[in-house]
Amino acid sequence: MFADDAATLPAQTPLSLYREIDRAEWAHLAAGTTLPLTETEIVQIRGLGDRLDMAEVREVYLPLSGLLSLYATATKRLGAETSSFLRDDDSTTPFVIAVAGSVAVGKSTISRLLRELVSRWPGTPRVELVTTDGFLYPNAELERRGLMDRKGFPESYDRRALVNFLTEVKSGAAEVRAPFYSHMRYDIVPDAHTTIRRPDVVIVEGLNVLQPSPSPSEMAISELFDFSIYVDADTSHISDWYVERFLALRRGAFSNPNSFFNVFAHLTDAEAVRMALGFWNDINLPNLEENVLPTKHQAKLVLEKGADHAVERVLLRKL
């Protein structure tokens, strides 16, 4: 082959572990499927700053619910067939879904929405939502370790407690308890717990759920998930959403005198923007770049959002 001949060959598409699906193609996968949620329910699910609407749910999250149902059904069938092969009782355990991504990217809203959609699958499965906030160390412990300014970084979580919790869930324990975190108090609430009693599906939402294990001898949290989702967006968009959310909280939750952030309630708009950008640039952006974003490739599915919070493209890992 001569150089001139090589120049006429078509460029080859780079190989990828993911199928890239644009929004229109993805939406078509749920064509004809009835949306089980009303507009009022969707408004109640929507978080601060999110622009979740009927079209977004129908075109993005209804197909995702269908895909998750497919995976959950196949996993349950494999568990039953394995038990049959071993001549043992069927010991199928909860199907566990992880939702990861940056602060302010909308993963909490997506997790709440998925909980509602999944609970409406045929058979009305029991679904629980757990956030990893409950596994942050209490503020007193963070202060002792000098980590209050790194709250949300991997080292600020009791990773062992989270692994033990998920191990019990995946082992089929009759009852498992998770610590309870108050966003109003910005701290773990002593003696308060979220109790999980053998649900069919568990959704685990958090910043660092796809983190690798700190050592080869320790289990990675991601090993305990059956399906994982990473919510992605351009960093500049997430920064804008973070500032918008801070301003909305200043007008709302921060005004509560019992709120940890009440000291910010009386800031001017300009002061609030400067404060929010300071938190973003000093804490949340470094955590995103150093710890959260590098785990994106661990996810089985990536939702790529545009500037208006709408999902523009879906990446699905090939089997």
Side-chain angles (χ1 to χ4, degrees):
M1 182 182 291
F2 297 101
D4 289 344
D5 296 326
T8 63
L9 292 175
Q12 292 186 347
T13 302
L15 294 176
S16 171
L17 290 174
Y18 289 90
R19 294 181 175 90
E20 299 184 9
I21 310 167
D22 65 32
R23 181 178 173 122
E25 182 184 358
W26 179 254
H28 185 69
L29 298 175
T33 304
T34 302
L35 180 61
L37 299 176
T38 65
E39 187 169 4
T40 299
E41 288 173 314
I42 292 170
V43 169
Q44 291 171 341
I45 292 168
R46 187 165 58 207
L48 282 176
D50 284 336
R51 294 169 178 82
L52 189 68
D53 57 21
M54 295 283 281
E56 187 77 359
V57 176
R58 184 180 295 108
E59 296 175 10
V60 176
Y61 298 103
L62 198 55
L64 177 53
S65 175
L67 180 69
L68 290 172
S69 177
L70 182 67
Y71 271 78
T73 300
T75 301
K76 184 174 183 179
R77 183 172 61 247
L78 178 60
E81 291 176 355
T82 301
S83 296
S84 176
F85 174 77
L86 296 173
R87 296 177 175 84
D88 196 3
D89 293 335
D90 184 3
S91 56
T92 304
T93 58
F95 186 80
V96 182
I97 303 165
V99 180
S102 171
V103 167
V105 79
K107 61 186 181 298
S108 296
T109 293
I110 291 169
S111 299
R112 290 192 299 270
L113 175 59
L114 288 178
R115 177 180 58 188
E116 297 305 315
L117 289 172
V118 170
S119 68
R120 287 163 170 79
W121 287 351
T124 315
R126 291 176 295 115
V127 186
E128 294 284 358
L129 171 59
V130 176
T131 71
T132 59
D133 292 341
F135 295 92
L136 284 160
Y137 286 115
N139 286 353
E141 180 63 16
L142 292 174
E143 291 277 10
R144 189 185 72 81
R145 298 184 181 209
L147 293 175
M148 274 301 287
D149 290 338
R150 292 180 68 81
K151 198 168 186 177
F153 282 70
E155 61 268 28
S156 66
Y157 291 87
D158 188 343
R159 201 193 78 88
R160 182 172 298 175
L162 177 56
V163 168
N164 289 342
F165 168 80
L166 289 172
T167 298
E168 289 190 61
V169 169
K170 283 301 292 177
S171 298
E175 182 175 294
V176 188
R177 297 200 303 178
F180 180 78
Y181 183 85
S182 168
H183 287 274
M184 182 70 68
R185 293 170 57 170
Y186 194 58
D187 201 357
I188 300 295
V189 179
D191 301 321
H193 297 87
T194 300
T195 303
I196 307 297
R197 295 184 176 90
R198 292 208 69 179
D200 300 296
V201 179
V202 178
I203 299 169
V204 182
E205 177 254 310
L207 287 168
N208 298 298
V209 291
L210 300 181
Q211 283 288 313
S213 65
S215 72
S217 63
E218 296 185 68
M219 178 181 289
I221 298 169
S222 59
E223 293 179 60
L224 296 162
F225 301 136
D226 298 291
F227 196 95
S228 50
I229 299 165
Y230 186 93
V231 188
D232 195 23
D234 187 273
T235 303
S236 64
H237 300 330
I238 305 176
S239 174
D240 291 341
W241 301 338
Y242 181 83
V243 172
E244 290 170 8
R245 190 177 73 171
F246 188 92
L247 293 174
L249 286 169
R250 184 197 53 147
R251 294 188 294 268
F254 290 177
S255 62
N256 187 320
N258 296 318
S259 171
F260 179 88
F261 296 101
N262 181 253
V263 292
F264 302 138
H266 305 295
L267 296 176
T268 66
D269 284 350
E271 290 170 337
V273 168
R274 284 197 298 273
M275 181 71 68
L277 285 174
F279 288 143
W280 173 257
N281 291 318
D282 295 341
I283 301 173
N284 294 294
L285 179 59
N287 193 22
L288 171 60
E289 293 179 337
E290 296 169 17
N291 301 303
V292 182
L293 188 57
T295 68
K296 180 171 73 171
H297 72 281
Q298 297 283 352
K300 288 188 178 178
L301 182 137
V302 179
L303 298 173
E304 294 188 344
K305 286 186 167 188
D308 60 353
H309 259 293
V311 173
E312 298 179 339
R313 189 171 66 148
V314 176
L315 306 180
L316 177 62
R317 195 175 182 113
K318 298 171 184 176
L319 293 175

